[in-house]
Amino acid sequence: MNPELLAYIECEILPRYETFDAAHRTDHARTVIEQSLTLAAHYDVDLDMVCTIAAYHDLGLADGRERHHLRSGEILTSDSVLRSWFSDEQLVVMREAVEDHRASSEHEPRSIYGRIVAEADRCIDPETVLRRTVQYGLEHFPALDREGQYARCREHLERKYADGGYLRLWIPFSDNARRLGELRALIRNPEALRRRFDAIYNQETDQRKNRETAR
């Protein structure tokens, strides 16, 4: 992989994630990059493109969540520095991949690059999914009390991850299918789900209180 490109991503791109909510900060971007490169090993693809797509995939969150996938694609193609390493044709493929990564997209990704980043972005580990859902709720709906946060969390899980949810998987040999089964079993068990929610909610709210106290 191109060391100059990697240095640019490390120094100029990944730090932008630090201003986002706790579920979409730099650690999330790094995880998507790592997962993308792991999946890419099974295909004949350009690893520089794979890494760059993953690094840019959520930058559009700076302008809101609803159109973030489209805005992320715009940010990628408007970055003139990338033209030092990629052709116009490659940039188009990369933009489309970024646009196609969103789980609620109504169409399947237009290329293998889109399938890779979409699958890598899933990271369907039940504990991680629950924590990110709680973190997002606390960040964006701070007026909700514990019961309100739980109701929002459960509604999100049902709509996205439960049987019949809108989430679709694109890489057949990834670990996500197995993990999705585990998450669906948890969603079908209200008592176990509530226990896990309460534990994570307590941890996250305690951390927020500690940060406020330290200021």
Side-chain angles (χ1 to χ4, degrees):
M1 296 179 65
N2 188 318
E4 293 181 355
L5 172 63
L6 295 179
Y8 178 69
I9 289 173
E10 183 68 34
C11 297
E12 302 296 335
I13 304 305
L14 293 182
R16 300 188 196 182
Y17 284 84
E18 285 303 318
T19 62
F20 299 161
D21 63 87
H24 295 92
R25 290 194 181 137
T26 305
D27 59 338
H28 169 65
R30 292 188 187 281
T31 297
V32 175
I33 291 172
E34 179 181 347
Q35 289 290 105
S36 292
L37 292 173
T38 297
L39 294 171
H42 297 274
Y43 297 97
D44 181 18
V45 291
D46 185 315
L47 295 184
D48 286 343
M49 291 175 64
V50 170
C51 181
T52 303
I53 291 164
Y56 282 72
H57 83 284
D58 269 346
L59 288 184
L61 288 171
D63 298 319
R65 186 171 182 80
E66 187 57 34
R67 296 184 70 258
H68 82 278
H69 54 305
L70 301 177
R71 181 66 185 128
S72 297
E74 293 170 357
I75 292 171
L76 187 153
T77 53
S78 66
D79 188 344
S80 60
V81 177
L82 292 181
R83 297 186 179 277
S84 302
W85 303 300
F86 301 107
S87 68
D88 289 343
E89 291 77 12
Q90 287 175 310
L91 289 170
V92 169
V93 172
M94 292 160 67
R95 186 200 73 228
E96 291 178 347
V98 168
E99 291 175 347
D100 292 345
H101 87 272
R102 192 171 186 179
S104 57
S105 176
E106 295 180 355
H107 62 83
E108 68 178 81
R110 285 166 280 186
S111 71
I112 185 58
Y113 292 96
R115 289 183 175 88
I116 287 172
V117 70
E119 189 76 20
D121 189 44
R122 302 298 183 261
C123 276
I124 306 175
D125 170 69
E127 183 76 9
T128 301
V129 168
L130 275 174
R131 188 170 299 278
R132 289 181 62 186
T133 303
V134 171
Q135 289 173 337
Y136 187 88
L138 292 171
E139 186 78 21
H140 293 275
F141 304 95
L144 293 178
D145 61 9
R146 180 187 293 263
E147 294 307 312
Q149 292 288 354
Y150 178 67
R152 195 208 72 84
C153 175
R154 176 144 195 177
E155 188 276 334
H156 172 73
L157 295 176
E158 291 279 357
R159 184 164 51 88
K160 182 173 181 179
Y161 296 101
D163 297 297
Y166 66 77
L167 180 76
R168 298 177 67 186
L169 303 179
W170 301 112
I171 305 293
F173 48 76
S174 77
D175 290 336
N176 280 334
R178 173 182 57 80
R179 291 171 179 167
L180 182 58
E182 295 173 0
L183 180 56
R184 285 175 172 171
L186 180 61
I187 294 170
R188 290 193 296 266
N189 187 332
E191 293 81 10
L193 179 62
R194 183 59 197 249
R195 286 195 299 272
R196 291 307 310 137
F197 169 85
D198 282 335
I200 293 172
Y201 181 88
N202 290 340
Q203 292 168 2
E204 292 296 325
T205 52
D206 285 346
Q207 289 177 10
R208 286 168 177 264
K209 290 175 184 177
N210 291 338
R211 287 197 294 269
E212 289 296 325
T213 301
R215 290 180 180 176

